[in-house]
């Protein structure tokens, strides 16, 4: 079978379709954010979170893990997280610090992944700390969208938690890559 046929077959799996839907939802989220329709934007992100959970669950449960899905799912995750953090940073300038942390973490992950591939080592999927960071970002942003008039102190707590889990994920992934490189 040639590469094109594999790609066409893989794109038709339910998990990959869900990942594509998640990516396609982002412009709608941004549109509703620009109109300050926070409940609609929040609903889109809730739906996006459900598709994120379902694509992984279905892929593993029904043996639909594909090479395309291994690329699409993380792209959907990272794009969604990036858009969520940027959309919140427009309203609250101090959140740009969270964005910088996110970008530094993801740049590290990209560079570490490339170095790992060159040394023939590969991180085997997302770790629990990465999944927790993703969940905290989703939950925190959804809370801010569904409760747009939340006191600023609570906003700071939510972004403090997001920052903590992002930083924890960054450090633990860095240590994991270090262990993998030492073993090689």
């Amino acid at each position: 079978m040639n590469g094109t046929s594999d790609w066409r077959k893989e794109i038709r799996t339910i998990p990959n379709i869900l990942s594509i839907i998640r990516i396609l939802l982002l412009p709608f989220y941004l549109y509703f954010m620009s109109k300050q329709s926070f409940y609609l934007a929040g609903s889109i992100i809730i739906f996006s979170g459900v598709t994120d959970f379902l694509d992984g669950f279905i892929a593993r449960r029904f043996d639909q893990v594909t090479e395309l899905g291994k690329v699409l799912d993380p792209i959907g995750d990272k794009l969604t997280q990036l858009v969520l953090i940027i959309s919140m940073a427009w309203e609250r300038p101090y959140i740009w610090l969270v964005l910088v942390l996110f970008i530094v973490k993801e740049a590290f992950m990209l560079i570490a992944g490339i170095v790992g591939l060159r040394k023939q080592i590969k991180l085997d999927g997302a770790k629990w700390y990465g999944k927790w960071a993703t969940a905290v970002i989703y939950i925190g942003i959804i809370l801010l969208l569904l409760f747009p008039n939340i006191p600023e102190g609570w906003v700071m707590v939510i972004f403090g938690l997001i920052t903590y889990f992002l930083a924890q994920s960054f450090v633990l992934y860095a240590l994991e890559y270090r262990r993998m490189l030492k073993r090689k």
Side-chain angles (χ1 to χ4, degrees), residues 29-30 33 82-91 141 145:
Y29 166 78
L30 289 172
M33 284 298 291
L82 179 65
V83 166
L84 291 176
I85 294 169
I86 288 174
S87 71
M88 291 291 126
W90 287 121
E91 299 294 320
I141 303 296
L145 292 169

Side-chain angles (χ1 to χ4, degrees), residues 27 32 45 48 58 61 82-83 89 95 101-102 142 160 184:
F32 288 122
I45 295 309
S48 176
I58 292 169
R61 171 85 178 174
L82 179 65
V83 166
I95 295 172
L101 174 61
F102 177 79
I142 289 168
K184 187 70 177 170

Side-chain angles (χ1 to χ4, degrees), residues 44-63:
I44 286 172
I45 295 309
I46 290 170
F47 182 71
S48 176
V50 169
T51 65
D52 186 20
F53 169 77
L54 286 175
D55 73 27
F57 175 79
I58 292 169
R60 287 184 297 276
R61 171 85 178 174
F62 297 101
D63 196 28

Side-chain angles (χ1 to χ4, degrees), residues 3 16-17 28 33 59 72 80 82 88 92 95 101 137-138 149 151 156 179 184:
N16 291 341
I17 291 169
F28 295 99
M33 284 298 291
L72 274 178
T80 300
L82 179 65
M88 291 291 126
R92 297 170 175 94
I95 295 172
L101 174 61
I137 291 170
Y138 266 101
N149 298 321
M156 298 286 280
R179 275 191 291 275
K184 187 70 177 170

Side-chain angles (χ1 to χ4, degrees), residues 118-134:
R118 286 188 177 165
K119 296 187 182 261
Q120 298 180 338
I121 59 172
K122 184 176 157 187
L123 192 64
D124 189 30
K127 302 295 183 190
W128 66 267
Y129 33 88
K131 291 180 181 188
W132 270 101
T134 298

Side-chain angles (χ1 to χ4, degrees), residues 137-177:
I137 291 170
Y138 266 101
I139 292 166
I141 303 296
I142 289 168
L143 286 172
L144 293 174
L145 292 169
L146 296 181
F147 301 99
N149 298 321
I150 193 169
E152 197 63 24
W154 282 107
V155 174
M156 298 286 280
V157 167
I158 289 169
F159 273 96
L161 287 169
I162 289 172
T163 302
Y164 170 79
F165 280 94
L166 267 176
Q168 176 192 48
S169 174
F170 182 17
V171 169
L172 293 176
Y173 273 122
L175 292 172
E176 181 66 23
Y177 273 109

